[in-house]
Amino acid sequence: DSNSELKHLTADQMAPLALKDSMYYHYDEWFSRFQGEIDRLKSSSPSMENQVELMKFHFNYAGLLGELCHTLAFTSKYQDDKITGRFLYHSLQVKGLAYEILDNVFVTSDQEAQANFFLGASEGYIGIFEYGKGNLIEALINGFHADTHLERALQLDPELVDVHFGLGMYR
């Protein structure tokens, strides 16, 4: 049964499946899957591993909402406030979790790299969102922070290929 197989996937495994489905405008199933995992992780015993995974699921949720925003409209004139509100909520959850992870004295180098990557990626998404709304200063500030955090992620783990993509998009 494919439903039970999907229940045991990590955020890293679910993300490409959701992205692929978004190319065919299939969003709703993934919103509920991501929310289910967010709820499960929030009710689980707190650990660094759970925090990192929770951060990733919030990021994937925000990214999917961002893709939905792009699908619905290319300008702020047609944006849906409910969707953009959820996008900002999940993006800010990523940022908060990333800072919690970075502030933890027991953070491993890999977890620090992951937190910087998702923090920078989230700031980049917010920057793109703000740019689309015409908020150029906010977009620039988020872009600058994204660049800083993505660079730090690369210093910690030069093998994070997606970081190069994020930096390329920003630059």
Side-chain angles (χ1 to χ4, degrees):
D1 172 53
S2 67
N3 274 346
S4 64
E5 288 175 17
L6 289 175
K7 285 184 179 181
H8 302 290
L9 296 179
T10 65
D12 291 338
Q13 293 167 322
M14 270 194 204
L17 298 172
L19 182 60
K20 180 181 157 204
D21 275 357
S22 76
M23 299 298 148
Y24 299 97
Y25 310 114
H26 299 207
Y27 296 98
D28 293 336
E29 172 188 351
W30 294 105
F31 290 136
S32 63
R33 287 189 188 285
F34 290 152
Q35 188 61 56
E37 288 302 308
I38 288 168
D39 293 343
R40 182 186 65 77
L41 287 162
K42 281 184 173 179
S43 66
S44 297
S45 60
S47 70
M48 284 295 286
E49 292 78 15
N50 283 352
Q51 290 294 90
V52 170
E53 195 69 0
L54 182 60
M55 174 186 65
K56 290 178 181 183
F57 273 111
H58 275 295
F59 178 80
N60 291 334
Y61 202 133
L64 202 56
L65 287 163
E67 291 305 316
L68 179 58
C69 288
H70 292 299
T71 299
L72 295 175
F74 294 107
T75 67
S76 61
K77 180 178 177 183
Y78 299 107
Q79 286 183 354
D80 181 297
D81 289 338
K82 182 179 176 187
I83 296 169
T84 57
R86 288 172 46 209
F87 163 79
L88 286 172
Y89 168 80
H90 288 284
S91 296
L92 294 175
Q93 291 298 307
V94 174
K95 289 179 71 168
L97 286 161
Y99 280 118
E100 283 179 30
I101 291 164
L102 293 172
D103 287 343
N104 190 306
V105 294
F106 299 109
V107 69
T108 65
S109 178
D110 180 61
Q111 291 166 336
E112 185 180 353
Q114 292 286 319
N116 274 288
F117 167 56
F118 283 97
L119 178 56
S122 187
E123 290 164 335
Y125 258 135
I126 292 170
I128 291 168
F129 171 79
E130 293 295 347
Y131 181 82
K133 289 186 71 165
N135 300 330
L136 302 183
I137 300 297
E138 280 298 313
L140 184 64
I141 291 168
N142 275 284
F144 176 73
H145 287 297
D147 186 75
T148 300
H149 289 113
L150 292 172
E151 279 290 344
R152 179 66 182 141
L154 269 185
Q155 289 171 352
L156 292 163
D157 186 352
E159 300 300 312
L160 286 173
V161 176
D162 289 340
V163 176
H164 293 285
F165 179 73
L167 284 169
M169 292 280 293
Y170 172 69
R171 293 177 179 166

